Amino acid sequence: MRLCALLLLCTAMLFGVGPARAVDPRLVPDVSSRAIDIQYSFTGEELLLFGAILYPGQRLPDDRADIVVVLKGPVRPIILREKKRVAGIWVNANSIRLRTSPGFYAIGSSRPIDKLVDERTAAIFELGLSNLSMSPTGFSEAEKLQRFENGLIDLYRRLGLFYENPAAVEISEGVLYRARIPVPARVPVGTYRAETFLISKGRVLAVASRNVEIRKAGFERFVALAAQRHGFLYGLAAVALSLLLGYAASAAFKRR
């Protein structure tokens, strides 16, 4: 038992968090909405992450503290394929499977990440797009993996699914903080985790999180549930609807 406790303590110290002490500050985070409903008129939303830093004895330290907020989810496996031109035709060439690729990742901070922590700490806590751990399956060359990950990051950036802003967090009076994270219209549904990191002198002092649910609502939710729970009947209904619309269009053109 003592050995286990010692191992946990050493792991925490290596990760830069350290054991919880009475002199360490605490975070009280919250989000403007715990659930976002996606309907036919959904064009995106701006999520507000805010909260307070509670210092022991309500005394502000002399050293400046910084805040980093991360909104991430849902994590899922994905297969990336690279196209190459062979004999004038574009075909799928190399491919790679990533087990833990987030469908959405947004990070905001009070200062650039490289000014707050070293590369090792940033990699441990996955702070920044370049530090995402996507867990490739099987053996893959470092150069190939980097090429595929850079391609995915570039694509998701252009779609608005990956977002990075080193000046998104505002800290008032050294205690209150807030950050606005844009959520695009094509964001995937699922459970998201809004994490807040308190950082000082290159060390992560506190971490707190809240869950955010992004879900379909209204008719879109009905269609999605029908496709998931009654796939066969949903397929028949889709084929019947297609035939009906095709027949209606044909009849309309014949009358003209």
Side-chain angles (χ1 to χ4, degrees):
M1 198 67 183
R2 291 181 180 177
L3 179 59
C4 293
L6 181 59
L7 289 174
L8 290 175
L9 178 59
C10 292
T11 302
M13 293 177 68
L14 286 174
F15 282 4
V17 180
R21 299 177 301 172
V23 296
D24 284 340
R26 292 192 305 110
L27 287 169
V28 183
D30 208 347
V31 293
S32 57
S33 178
R34 297 290 182 91
I36 298 177
D37 293 332
I38 298 179
Q39 301 182 3
Y40 71 94
S41 58
F42 182 74
T43 57
E45 190 169 325
E46 194 174 60
L47 191 66
L48 178 64
L49 281 65
F50 62 95
I53 309 170
L54 300 183
Y55 291 100
Q58 299 181 354
R59 298 181 61 182
L60 296 181
D62 296 330
D63 300 318
R64 172 180 176 177
D66 288 279
I67 290 290
V68 177
V69 295
V70 174
L71 181 63
K72 178 182 177 182
V75 176
R76 59 193 178 179
I78 185 174
I79 298 177
L80 301 178
R81 293 184 174 88
E82 186 178 45
K83 290 186 177 294
K84 286 187 177 180
R85 194 167 186 175
V86 179
I89 301 176
W90 288 98
V91 297
N92 291 329
N94 296 327
S95 65
I96 192 172
R97 187 174 187 269
L98 304 175
R99 290 180 295 179
T100 57
S101 173
F104 178 85
Y105 179 91
I107 181 171
S109 53
S110 53
R111 286 192 293 163
I113 297 298
D114 58 357
K115 304 293 184 182
L116 303 181
V117 293
D118 56 25
E119 294 182 1
R120 182 172 174 275
T121 304
I124 290 173
F125 291 99
E126 297 187 60
L127 300 179
L129 295 175
S130 59
N131 294 308
L132 286 177
S133 177
M134 301 188 189
S135 303
T137 59
F139 175 79
S140 180
E141 298 177 359
E143 183 180 350
K144 176 183 176 182
L145 175 61
Q146 189 66 41
R147 186 174 73 251
F148 274 87
E149 288 186 349
N150 289 341
L152 178 65
I153 291 174
D154 180 65
L155 174 63
Y156 276 22
R157 270 185 184 273
R158 288 187 275 113
L159 295 175
L161 297 175
F162 280 179
Y163 170 83
E164 200 169 23
N165 186 351
V169 179
E170 300 177 14
I171 303 177
S172 302
E173 304 297 331
V175 176
L176 303 176
Y177 69 88
R178 65 177 182 175
R180 298 184 182 276
I181 301 296
V183 178
R186 59 181 67 192
V187 64
V189 297
T191 301
Y192 288 67
R193 197 166 187 84
E195 294 182 304
T196 304
F197 300 84
L198 177 64
I199 300 174
S200 180
K201 292 183 177 181
R203 178 172 174 263
V204 178
L205 300 181
V207 182
S209 64
R210 291 288 184 270
N211 287 339
V212 178
E213 193 74 24
I214 297 182
R215 61 200 180 192
K216 292 183 180 294
F219 181 71
E220 286 78 7
R221 177 177 174 81
F222 169 76
V223 172
L225 290 178
Q228 292 176 2
R229 299 176 180 176
H230 311 287
F232 181 73
L233 294 178
Y234 175 82
L236 288 179
V239 171
L241 182 60
S242 299
L243 293 175
L244 180 61
L245 291 177
Y247 176 78
S250 175
F253 278 109
K254 284 183 179 180
R255 291 179 181 178
R256 292 184 180 180

